[in-house]
Amino acid sequence: DRPGGLLMYGIPNMKLGKSVIDRRLAIMKEAGIKFVVGTEIGPDLPAAQLVANYDAVILCGGAGQPRELLVEGGQLGGVYQALAYLKGATRSLLSGTVRGDDFISAAGKDVIGIGGGDTGPDCVATALRRGCRSVHQLEIQPQPPDRRIKSDNPWPEWPRRQKTDYGQVEAISRSRTDPRHYLTATRCLVGDAQGQVQAVQTVTVNWFRSPAGNMEALEVPGSEKTWAADLVLLALGFTGPDDALPQEMGLARDSRSNVAAEFGSFTTNLEKVFVAGDMRRGASLVVWAIQEGKLAAREVDRYLTGHSLIK
């Protein structure tokens, strides 16, 4: 219902003010770009018709296929993908309504977030603002070191070190305890008689390298724990783009299920169809989406005119 995609709905307002997005959209509209909202390619507009009607098409559908929690109780009521929770909260805020059709309430609830990354702190901060009773973030990986370990993580690799994001800072300020719990594996979710989640059962793990060289998690005996939970948010990352559009168009995929296209050319196996961003490279950062969008535009410019001034 609004342009902006993940920037508009997937990133909370306190992290990215929507005035920044609205300003950019206004510039793009003034430049002559037409935004068609409320339209899903496939069900509402066949992809073949879109390709037939235009001289070039760039697919920027993102990597929206979420990773599921494959444990007993994963389908209970009150268990949601983190992005669905964040979208509903932001849409409710932008529309000025207390509750929208996709609004998921955290008010007065014990909230458990499973998974880390950038989405975890967003869920923690949003749940706090929505009046949750408690919030915890469970992470199966070990706590990162306070500083880069040069022998294992030399420059210029991305520094693997502990980072306390804004969501955790706010939780610590409120409860005096860090909401993150490392080396914690989810065994199962427990529901009530109505099929609503009421608890998360976990166990502590230690990581070791197997004889084959793979890292494996070993449960610590006697470390089982039960957490009260009325709302469970899954921030486990994404496995690639939704399947519907690539399958409808007959697009070639790579080994990670992304739409296959080389960086720099962005061309798919279909004539005049290009792909950029997370749909091509997998779930990544906004800065990469900006860069790939710019470079894909350059390649389309060259395809249509034979040259481009875009650097």
Side-chain angles (χ1 to χ4, degrees), residues 185-289:
T186 303
R187 270 190 170 177
C188 67
L189 308 184
V190 180
D192 59 20
Q194 288 71 46
Q196 294 292 310
V197 67
Q198 62 179 11
V200 176
Q201 293 185 351
T202 66
V203 63
T204 301
V205 298
N206 283 325
W207 289 90
F208 72 98
R209 191 173 297 280
S210 70
N214 302 317
M215 294 301 295
E216 297 183 8
L218 183 66
E219 294 186 358
V220 177
S223 63
E224 296 82 1
K225 184 173 180 178
T226 299
W227 309 72
D230 307 303
L231 176 62
V232 176
L233 303 174
L234 307 180
L236 303 173
F238 300 88
T239 61
D242 292 327
D243 289 328
L245 185 60
Q247 289 178 355
E248 178 186 349
M249 299 183 71
L251 293 165
R253 315 282 283 274
D254 66 17
S255 60
R256 296 187 300 151
S257 83
N258 302 316
V259 176
E262 292 294 326
F263 179 77
S265 69
F266 305 97
T267 54
T268 70
N269 59 304
L270 299 182
E271 175 68 21
K272 73 178 181 179
V273 176
F274 299 76
V275 63
D278 287 7
M279 200 170 188
R280 188 200 71 83
R281 66 181 293 117
S284 189
L285 302 173
V286 171
V287 289
W288 268 115

Side-chain angles (χ1 to χ4, degrees), residues 78 94 147 223:
L94 295 179
R147 63 189 65 185
S223 63

Side-chain angles (χ1 to χ4, degrees), residues 1-2 9 88-101:
D1 61 338
R2 289 183 176 89
Y9 283 128
T90 302
R91 184 176 283 110
S92 171
L93 187 63
L94 295 179
S95 63
T97 60
V98 177
R99 297 176 184 273
D101 292 339

